[in-house]
Amino acid sequence: MGGQENVDYSIVICTYNPDENVLKRCLQAVRQLNVANISTEVILVDNNSKVRVQDLPYIKEYTAGIPGLKQLFVVKQGLLYARLAAIAEAKGAQIVFFDDDNEPESEYLQELHRLNKQFPNVAAWGPGNVEVDFVDGVDDNIREVALQLFQHRTATTVGFAAIKDWQPCYPYGTGLCIKTDLCREYLQQVNQGRLTLTGRNGNKLSSGEDTQMIMLCISKGYAAGISPALRLTHIITAKRANRPYMNRLLYGTRSCYETCMVQVFPERKQMLESKLISGAKFSRQTLKKFLKTKWNRSPQKTFDLIQFIAAHASDYMALDKPLPGFVNKVLTSLKIV
């Protein structure tokens, strides 16, 4: 496991079968980060791509000039395992997680450095301004939902909190920066089997590990927040800016929430048990909303249905209860499970 060696920030970029133009933009942005008076390392993690990232023709060119670059190859599939390997190798006091479709602005690290000095009790920071770049365009009928799902943000003030439930000022996984000692604690709890959410893995789409990392910070008495001066662009291609992908992303992101919370805060289970709706009621309300999607073909009706199912499925999953059969049938018809 890597030891800290007077490195301020370990920048972690995880990738799997990357889109060449997207990864180029990410690496170019990281190369252009202002690191004046800041020590850094960059860990590029290839999560078992079909063609090894280190063998891609453009990689040497785009990684040239990136200080302290290290490349890892992680065979076990899943974003979680790529991140865990990077955490184990990181030497920085803070770890910054950029996905391969993130394009941070040049002053990103300078703003993080300022925030870390000014607010030492905030253990997790993320961008308050995220611009979503639909490089291949996006259907106007799904644009608003797409912006939300791909973490569009336009904050105007610094905000942070230490509340044991999700807050509007909590950071997403995009551009997330966390104190390394807390990342190590997260790694330890995953290895012990206490935290089990894996994040994106094949067709399974969720952000559970991001939420668990942030909530772990809260559980240890720290706050988490965002700053408008932390700015980045989230690059989204047609492969993701479409209804089938977004349906799965919406369900995966929302349905894992209560499992995440209960694993970090076990006392929350009692509250969930008291508010759990019966299987019959869950099925009836699902049927009602499902029929509305047949009468009204608007994508928003389908998104509303998925949001409803995911919110209640989240409670069922956290309490290890099977979903009602009819609900599973609807999810299958939507090609979500």
Side-chain angles (χ1 to χ4, degrees):
M1 182 175 286
Q4 294 175 19
E5 300 175 1
N6 299 319
V7 175
D8 295 315
Y9 294 94
S10 295
I11 299 169
V12 173
I13 305 168
C14 298
T15 189
Y16 167 69
N17 293 338
D19 179 294
E20 177 176 341
N21 292 327
V22 174
L23 182 56
K24 281 180 177 180
R25 284 178 59 175
C26 174
L27 294 173
Q28 180 72 1
V30 168
R31 187 164 61 180
Q32 292 177 345
L33 287 170
N34 180 356
V35 294
N37 301 312
I38 296 175
S39 56
T40 65
E41 65 172 357
V42 177
I43 303 174
L44 178 60
V45 188
D46 178 358
N47 192 198
N48 202 25
S49 296
K50 293 177 181 177
V51 176
R52 285 206 177 199
V53 170
Q54 67 179 17
D55 296 332
L56 296 173
Y58 61 89
I59 284 297
K60 185 174 291 187
E61 174 190 352
Y62 276 80
T63 56
I66 296 179
L69 177 73
K70 177 188 296 184
Q71 294 194 50
L72 299 181
F73 185 80
V74 177
V75 174
K76 193 168 185 179
Q77 204 70 60
L79 178 60
L80 170 68
Y81 306 110
R83 285 184 169 180
L84 293 181
I87 290 170
E89 290 291 329
K91 297 181 174 66
Q94 309 270 344
I95 298 180
V96 185
F97 295 98
F98 290 132
D99 292 331
D100 62 3
D101 57 6
N102 294 173
E103 188 178 49
E105 290 201 356
S106 62
E107 295 302 305
Y108 203 91
L109 292 184
Q110 294 296 329
E111 173 63 8
L112 275 177
H113 203 45
R114 185 188 71 78
L115 291 166
N116 292 144
K117 287 183 176 181
Q118 185 176 354
F119 303 105
N121 199 49
V122 180
W125 286 105
N129 275 287
V130 178
E131 177 186 349
V132 182
D133 181 4
F134 296 108
V135 290
D136 303 311
V138 63
D139 188 330
D140 286 341
N141 290 325
I142 62 173
R143 174 178 288 274
E144 288 305 311
V145 174
L147 286 171
Q148 294 174 36
L149 284 174
F150 296 117
Q151 305 179 348
H152 173 72
R153 256 182 165 155
T154 54
T156 56
T157 59
V158 172
F160 53 84
I163 298 170
K164 296 179 180 180
D165 210 342
W166 191 261
Q167 302 299 305
C169 65
Y170 284 169
Y172 302 128
T174 303
L176 179 63
C177 175
I178 296 184
K179 291 179 183 291
T180 300
D181 59 346
L182 290 168
C183 290
R184 298 257 196 262
E185 172 69 18
Y186 172 74
L187 171 62
Q188 183 177 21
Q189 292 201 24
V190 170
N191 288 337
Q192 291 170 347
R194 294 175 60 187
L195 303 179
T196 64
L197 295 183
T198 60
R200 296 193 302 275
N201 188 348
N203 286 328
K204 181 182 176 184
L205 303 175
S206 85
S207 57
E209 86 287 1
D210 297 330
T211 305
Q212 286 199 319
M213 292 171 79
I214 292 161
M215 288 302 168
L216 181 62
C217 295
I218 304 299
S219 75
K220 298 298 181 180
Y222 289 95
I226 57 174
S227 167
L230 290 173
R231 312 174 72 93
L232 62 72
T233 299
H234 199 184
I235 310 163
I236 304 299
T237 65
K239 186 177 179 180
R240 301 171 70 196
N242 60 77
R243 287 178 63 180
Y245 183 94
M246 288 168 52
N247 288 346
R248 291 187 294 115
L249 180 61
L250 176 58
Y251 182 78
T253 300
R254 183 64 186 88
S255 64
C256 71
Y257 177 70
E258 289 298 351
T259 300
C260 160
M261 297 298 292
V262 165
Q263 289 184 354
V264 179
F265 306 111
E267 66 275 12
R268 189 180 177 92
K269 184 172 278 192
Q270 186 174 357
M271 178 275 291
L272 285 183
E273 289 171 341
S274 67
K275 80 180 186 75
L276 188 75
I277 66 172
S278 70
K281 185 176 182 180
F282 191 2
S283 295
R284 284 196 306 271
Q285 293 186 353
T286 297
L287 174 60
K288 184 177 179 180
K289 291 181 178 293
F290 180 68
L291 291 175
K292 285 183 179 179
T293 68
K294 299 302 180 183
W295 299 329
N296 185 333
R297 297 288 182 173
S298 164
Q300 187 60 53
K301 290 296 182 184
T302 302
F303 291 139
D304 290 345
L305 168 65
I306 295 168
Q307 176 76 12
F308 169 80
I309 294 175
H312 291 288
S314 181
D315 298 344
Y316 272 69
M317 292 161 67
L319 295 172
D320 295 319
K321 294 182 180 294
L323 295 183
F326 177 74
V327 174
N328 271 322
K329 287 181 180 179
V330 171
L331 291 174
T332 300
S333 74
L334 294 170
K335 299 182 179 178
I336 289 173
V337 296

